[in-house]
Amino acid sequence: MSHVLVPAHADLLARILAFDIDGGEVPLPFAARLAREQGWSRSYAERVIEEYKRYVFLATTAGFKVCPSEDVDAAWHLHLTYTKSYWQRFCGEALGKPLHHEPTKGGPAEGEKHLRMYADTLAAYRAAFGRGAPADVWPAGESRFGDDTRHRVVNTARNWVVPKAPVKRLAQLGAASVLLALAV
């Protein structure tokens, strides 16, 4: 693959990158909502939206199924809730065809399949855009599908998020202290 775009693809990429998810000025822009829901800075959310659009370009031109990064997938999920923006304006007008979201069915075989798809997506990104995908938005496959797959969206204004390891150590120290006190 080459990073020289055919004219039809160049026009499609221009339409995708220029697409305004909000459709004009709104009190709570898409980027602000994405940043709030994910706990990101506004500037990072805007970068993720740009990468989401690049992903959509790949999804419509690569010729094979592509796999988004976790952050790009979060932007896609939120965009899907903006049904008129997504289905009518984005798919209907900018893309000219539907783009369905197909999550994994789960299991080891699916995990291996998505890891391969993700590697192919990163290669297609480099070929299409002439550079590698930004690693903070598109981490390596081992990270994308690694241990950190149990994350949840949490309202940090109402909830504390405490890492388990220090709490476990404190609980172990507390239990040891109680046992020591009982022994004495």
Side-chain angles (χ1 to χ4, degrees):
M1 280 189 245
S2 167
H3 68 272
V4 177
L5 298 176
V6 296
H9 286 177
D11 290 343
L12 175 63
L13 179 60
R15 285 194 313 273
I16 292 170
L17 293 177
F19 183 79
D20 178 10
I21 293 173
D22 294 312
E25 292 292 318
V26 295
L28 180 60
F30 182 83
R33 184 180 304 258
L34 181 63
R36 181 184 72 190
E37 290 187 8
Q38 297 299 320
W40 300 335
S41 69
R42 174 78 179 264
S43 62
Y44 182 75
E46 289 170 353
R47 289 186 52 240
V48 169
I49 293 165
E50 188 80 8
E51 292 304 313
Y52 160 61
K53 290 176 178 181
R54 290 177 182 278
Y55 166 77
V56 167
F57 175 77
L58 294 174
T60 57
T61 62
F64 55 87
K65 288 187 177 188
V66 292
C67 180
S69 72
E70 196 73 25
D71 292 353
V72 166
D73 199 41
W76 192 6
H77 283 216
L78 183 59
H79 194 193
L80 284 164
T81 68
Y82 286 53
T83 58
K84 288 181 183 175
S85 171
Y86 186 79
W87 289 111
Q88 290 177 359
R89 294 189 311 102
F90 193 50
C91 291
E93 297 168 17
L95 302 181
K97 64 181 181 179
L99 178 61
H100 293 279
H101 187 287
E102 297 179 31
T104 180
K105 296 172 185 162
E110 281 283 293
E112 292 171 18
K113 177 182 88 174
H114 278 85
L115 188 57
R116 281 191 309 277
M117 284 171 53
Y118 190 69
D120 291 345
T121 301
L122 293 178
Y125 187 107
R126 178 175 295 284
F129 303 116
R131 62 179 170 82
D136 60 335
V137 179
W138 294 90
E142 299 76 36
S143 296
R144 165 67 170 94
F145 297 100
D147 292 344
D148 189 22
T149 58
R150 295 184 172 262
H151 67 278
R152 299 289 182 266
V153 176
V154 176
N155 181 337
T156 55
R158 285 188 258 150
N159 302 283
W160 288 344
V161 179
V162 181
K164 286 183 177 181
V167 172
K168 284 181 180 179
R169 282 194 294 276
L170 283 174
Q172 290 169 341
L173 284 172
S177 298
V178 168
L179 289 173
L180 183 61
L182 290 173
V184 172

